[in-house]
């Protein structure tokens, strides 16, 4: 069974440019998470989807970040315009969405963003 | 403030040796505590999940303990292997339907031959 797929794996852009990340969760997983992980830190939640609904986007910097999950499957996370401080690894995770807070989250390999 | 603190920050051991990683938390309300292993360049992989009523859980050579009274957890690795070299992250879920996951900064383990 394929795991969580993310692309691209690496992205280098200049500041003020836009960038987009794509995530394909495990088939059948209703809940999808986007995290940001700074170097040497643990991941921080940006947004959580249940199916196509964003149920927690309280940590998403809405002035420059946006996300969508059309049809409740794949998701994209966009930054426009990117700033130097956005350099980080962006992780996507998914879970079944049937067992509440106890269920296991499965993470993708992440997209490593470098803003110059 | 909800926090998860891990120690040590980094650890180097010889192959075959045991080690114990620590996690202290101040998260309320408490739902569950997880340990993840994160290899360099990869996403975290779940090792164990423990709820309030569980005080130990094993996954192969990994054994996690939880003391909900003192709000402490440990991850014990037995007979370490080179492939155990990774970051180990403790995550506490604040319950009550909040779906808030508070991540520690991890312990970076290096196993040497």
């Amino acid at each position: 069974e394929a795991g969580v797929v993310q692309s691209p794996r690496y992205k280098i852009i200049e500041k003020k440019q836009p960038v987009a990340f794509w995530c394909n969760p495990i088939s059948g997983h209703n809940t999808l998470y986007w995290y940001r992980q700074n170097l040497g830190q643990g991941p921080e939640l940006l947004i959580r989807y249940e199916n196509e609904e964003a149920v927690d986007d309280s940590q998403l910097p809405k002035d420059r970040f946006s996300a969508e999950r059309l049809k409740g499957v794949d998701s994209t996370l966009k930054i426009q315009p990117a700033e130097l401080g956005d350099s980080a690894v962006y992780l996507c995770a998914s879970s079944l969405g049937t067992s509440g807070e106890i269920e296991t989250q499965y993470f993708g390999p992440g997209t490593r963003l470098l803003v110059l | 403030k909800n926090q998860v603190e891990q120690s040590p920050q980094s650890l180097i051991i010889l192959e075959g040796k045991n080690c114990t990683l620590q996690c202290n938390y101040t998260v309320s309300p408490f739902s569950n505590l997880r340990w993840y292993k994160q290899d360099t360049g990869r996403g975290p992989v779940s090792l164990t999940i423990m709820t309030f009523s569980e005080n130990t859980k094993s996954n192969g050579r990994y054994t996690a303990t939880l003391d909900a009274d003192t709000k402490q957890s440990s991850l014990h690795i037995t007979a370490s292997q080179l492939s155990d070299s990774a970051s180990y992250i403790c995550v506490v879920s604040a319950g009550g339907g909040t779906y808030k996951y508070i991540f520690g900064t991890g312990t970076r383990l290096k196993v040497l031959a």
Side-chain angles (χ1 to χ4, degrees), chain A residues 3-32:
Chain A
V4 176
V5 180
Q6 291 188 247
S7 69
R9 291 296 310 279
Y10 306 92
K11 190 74 177 179
I12 302 175
I13 61 172
E14 293 185 342
K15 63 181 180 182
K16 300 185 182 180
Q17 294 300 305
V19 65
F21 315 125
W22 175 80
C23 172
N24 178 237
I26 293 173
S27 177
H29 281 197
N30 297 322
T31 305
L32 184 145

Side-chain angles (χ1 to χ4, degrees), chain B:
Chain B
K1 180 182 178 183
N2 289 330
Q3 280 187 316
V4 175
E5 296 183 349
Q6 293 186 243
S7 63
Q9 197 170 23
S10 61
L11 183 62
I12 301 174
I13 62 174
L14 292 176
E15 186 179 16
K17 298 296 185 182
N18 304 335
C19 67
T20 300
L21 314 180
Q22 300 291 342
C23 173
N24 295 337
Y25 62 92
T26 56
V27 177
S28 182
F30 174 87
S31 173
N32 57 80
L33 184 145
R34 309 149 186 256
W35 283 93
Y36 284 92
K37 177 186 179 187
Q38 186 173 22
D39 292 311
T40 301
R42 301 230 170 169
V45 174
S46 180
L47 294 175
T48 62
I49 301 177
M50 289 183 292
T51 61
F52 184 88
S53 60
E54 298 173 293
N55 51 28
T56 187
K57 184 163 280 190
S58 293
N59 179 357
R61 293 178 298 102
Y62 301 102
T63 299
T65 65
L66 173 65
D67 186 334
D69 291 332
T70 61
K71 299 189 177 181
Q72 296 179 326
S73 175
S74 65
L75 180 69
H76 186 74
I77 305 175
T78 303
S80 61
Q81 301 176 357
L82 297 179
S83 59
D84 292 331
S85 295
S87 288
Y88 291 84
I89 303 175
C90 175
V91 185
V92 179
S93 173
T98 63
Y99 287 84
K100 296 297 184 185
Y101 300 97
I102 297 94
F103 287 73
T105 57
T107 292
R108 187 179 298 272
L109 174 66
K110 180 71 173 177
V111 180
L112 300 178

